[in-house]
Amino acid sequence: MPGLLDSLRRLVPADRVVTDPDVIAAYAHDEAEWAPFGTPAALVRAGSTEDVRAVVTVCAERGVPIVPRGAGTGLSGGANALDGCVLLSLEAMRDIVEIDAAERLAVVQPGVVNDALRLACAERGLWYPPDPASAPWSTIGGNVATNAGGLCCVKYGVTRDYVLALEAVVGRGEVVRLGRRTAKGVAGYDLCGLMVGSEGTLGVITEITVRLRSARSPERTIVGYFDTLQAAGEAVARVTAAGIVPSALELIDRHCLEAVDAWRNMGLSADANVLLLGRTDLPGESGEAEADAMVRLFKEAGATWSARSSDEAEAEALFSARRLAYPALERLGPVLTEDVCVPRGLVPEMLTRIEAAAADNNTHIANIAHAGDGNLHPLIIAPAGDDDARVRAQRAFDRIVADAIALGGTVTGEHGVGLLKRRGLHDELDPAVIAMHHAVKNALDPAGVFNPGKVFGTP
């Protein structure tokens, strides 16, 4: 597409427009197994809002799709290339523009890595809570695009709860600022909130203002060993029913423990079929009481062993194992990652249904979960090159989505819809609601160029 490329090179520094197919191949898809992707016309590594504006203007004039992407750690295909598109990488826009300790906010570009922001805030006695498992690699822009969650969102909420304002390039190249810097503000529709979780379908985010919190008290860690997923799920339900809001409540099953042990030799699978990790960050006696209550509730639910960890290094190692579970399982074969969320009291029932889906489809399914908020991540493994196993895995995937909806849940708690969950989204939402989303998309993207086909495209 010489006309397109010539226009881009006139408006964007030439070294930022890439056509080398070997380089582009590394940007063509995210981490979602089996999500399709196409061949882009070009890759643009934007260095500024002006670069993004130029790309949007050129593409809107020509009707060329734009697929924005950050670090490519997504798990739903939301950043996958379309044939003939311009891949717009925001990874080079990584300035932390401002950290205002008095107002407790930070202003960052979209390419800032999550952990880099958290570290910079910690140096000032502040804390940015959203902490997806990919925090060492994923970018704030990608976190905002998918409304990412993480381990502590059971108590502190997801990315949307911390986004105060955005700068974005929308429509046919207009640069707009949405939201506010003030602690309160109710003027107009919440267009800033609308952009969070929009997966690049409404515009390209070029700057983010996030809310910060004061550094929190040291956490106490509670560990429970269980023989079955159902018993661990019952412990989660009991913690919820008791009115306890832990700062983390994570589940790891035997398949994950064995995979982590095989990779890192941590010895976790010797004593438990299921590991439940709880944390409380309440200060003083309140934290002591909450930790003791969680130990008791774990035991009442059937824990074979439960105790508070007295060794901080050991506690960190256990949570490190939780973060390592996904890459450890990838060593066994392609992993199709689920991301369903159900009411917390129905976690035991959903775990039972996941086990049934695995058995009925003769499919290897491991489980990790942000169990405290009902966000389950069944990890469906199919050996590479085994087409029959892949078909069975896809059937199990679809059944788990259907079961989550049947229990009053949702098809995605934090990974986004992208390409993998479009069918489930149409099953979850009423047709009139789907139509409302299409109306919003058409109004804000009149040229139809922002990540077309993703989220609400034809299943």
Side-chain angles (χ1 to χ4, degrees), residues 168-179:
V169 181
V170 300
R172 300 183 184 276
E174 299 86 0
V175 179
V176 298
R177 287 191 172 272
L178 308 171

Side-chain angles (χ1 to χ4, degrees), residues 103-134:
E103 295 293 338
R104 283 176 168 70
L105 60 81
V107 181
V108 301
Q109 291 185 315
V112 172
V113 171
N114 183 293
D115 269 4
L117 174 60
R118 290 163 66 86
L119 178 61
C121 292
E123 290 172 350
R124 295 162 174 79
L126 299 169
W127 179 44
Y128 177 64
D131 63 338
S134 60

Side-chain angles (χ1 to χ4, degrees), residues 29-30 32-37 76-78 80 336 390 419-420:
H29 59 86
D30 62 18
E33 279 295 335
W34 307 341
F37 59 93
S76 66
N80 283 14
L336 184 60
R390 176 170 170 165
L419 293 170
L420 292 182

Side-chain angles (χ1 to χ4, degrees), residues 61-119:
E61 288 174 351
R62 296 170 175 270
V64 174
I66 303 166
V67 177
R69 57 163 285 137
T73 60
L75 292 166
S76 66
N80 283 14
L82 305 170
D83 285 336
C85 77
V86 170
L87 273 176
L88 181 55
S89 171
L90 303 164
E91 64 184 334
M93 296 177 64
R94 50 179 179 266
D95 289 346
I96 297 177
V97 178
E98 175 188 3
I99 296 179
D100 188 328
E103 295 293 338
R104 283 176 168 70
L105 60 81
V107 181
V108 301
Q109 291 185 315
V112 172
V113 171
N114 183 293
D115 269 4
L117 174 60
R118 290 163 66 86
L119 178 61

